Amino acid sequence: EVQLVESGGDLVQPGRSLRLSCRTSGFTFDDYAMHWVRQAPRKGLEWISSVSWNTGSIAYADSVRGRFHISRDNARNSLYLQMRDLRPEDTAFYYCTRSIWFGTSFFDAWGQGTLVTVSS
Amino acid sequence: EIVLTQSPDTLSLSPGDRATLSCKASQNVGSTYFAWYQQKPGQAPRLLIYGVSTRASGVPDRFSGSGSGTDFTLTISRLEREDFAVYYCQQYAVSPLAFGGGSKVEIK
């Protein structure tokens, strides 16, 4: 069974940092590009970052570029998102997702999400 | 950057009804790189359709997708109770990947 399990969400003050993790199982991790998609409470979905299978290609949405850093550890079947200089508008559920291709692709498996709340 | 506009915001229907959801793109996204997702309360999104019209594994055949260019449609031929949810469209033809704002299908 394909599983993606996010962790690391928390309540943090504006300007602080946070690191999210996504542990995966049930598939060959390094066959897939991996992504983070977020959803503010009661709002729509927003793609924020992607990493290719070997970290050779990385992309960010304008809203997080320069503040967030995506990484992966294929030996641990895990994906990460280092977030710094957090803002109230970063408050959202953060989902880990996968796709066969980097760049132009759809997302065929999702984690259950982890909630990041940025508030003083 | 491509913007996707979904309509209607909310569709109130009864079980057994046909649901037609629309997604309009601000630019031509071709006829291949389009997907639809279903999200129920408290759950992650679930892939329903990719490649405009290909159902994902396990998706019932009452779900169908169509369209090209700037106009795409998700049709649910006969609503079952488990189909009442929010539906999102997504284009993956052009970076950055983009989602629509969602359409809610609620029980009338």
Side-chain angles (χ1 to χ4, degrees), chain A residues 39 43 103-107 111, chain B residues 37 39 44-45 88 90 92 97:
Chain A
Q39 185 174 36
K43 298 294 185 182
T104 55
S105 194
F106 54 89
F107 309 115
Chain B
Y37 300 83
Q39 187 177 34
Y88 293 95
Q90 181 218 346
Y92 51 100
L97 306 175

Side-chain angles (χ1 to χ4, degrees), chain B:
Chain B
E1 179 175 335
I2 293 178
V3 176
L4 300 179
T5 303
Q6 291 189 238
S7 62
D9 289 339
T10 303
L11 197 54
S12 298
L13 295 169
S14 300
D17 286 348
R18 180 184 187 89
T20 302
L21 306 179
S22 172
C23 184
K24 292 186 182 295
S26 59
Q27 302 173 40
N28 190 325
V29 297
S31 58
T32 304
Y33 302 120
F34 207 83
W36 291 91
Y37 300 83
Q38 176 193 67
Q39 187 177 34
K40 297 180 181 179
Q43 296 185 17
R46 168 198 178 198
L47 177 68
L48 291 178
I49 301 282
Y50 63 93
V52 177
S53 60
T54 302
R55 282 186 298 276
S57 176
V59 175
D61 61 7
R62 62 181 180 272
F63 290 90
S64 62
S66 62
S68 66
T70 60
D71 294 312
F72 297 86
T73 301
L74 175 70
T75 302
I76 312 171
S77 59
R78 296 171 308 281
L79 281 165
E80 302 278 346
R81 287 203 167 266
E82 62 263 29
D83 301 336
F84 291 92
V86 179
Y87 293 84
Y88 293 95
C89 58
Q90 181 218 346
Q91 69 82 20
Y92 51 100
V94 175
S95 182
L97 306 175
F99 294 92
S103 286
K104 181 179 182 180
V105 179
E106 66 176 20
I107 299 179
K108 188 174 182 179

Side-chain angles (χ1 to χ4, degrees), chain A residues 46-111:
Chain A
E46 179 189 16
W47 166 81
I48 57 170
S49 188
S50 301
V51 59
S52 62
W53 72 275
N54 64 352
T55 317
S57 296
I58 285 176
Y60 298 99
D62 288 346
S63 58
V64 305
R65 186 177 293 112
R67 300 187 298 122
F68 290 12
H69 176 69
I70 191 171
S71 63
R72 64 188 293 162
D73 184 339
N74 288 347
R76 296 178 185 273
N77 296 327
S78 293
L79 176 72
Y80 307 99
L81 186 68
Q82 178 69 48
M83 305 183 291
R84 66 176 181 84
D85 190 23
L86 282 161
R87 304 167 180 170
E89 55 264 36
D90 295 319
T91 294
F93 283 93
Y94 284 72
Y95 295 102
C96 166
T97 72
R98 72 172 195 181
S99 69
I100 283 292
W101 303 290
F102 174 86
T104 55
S105 194
F106 54 89
F107 309 115
D108 70 347
W110 297 64

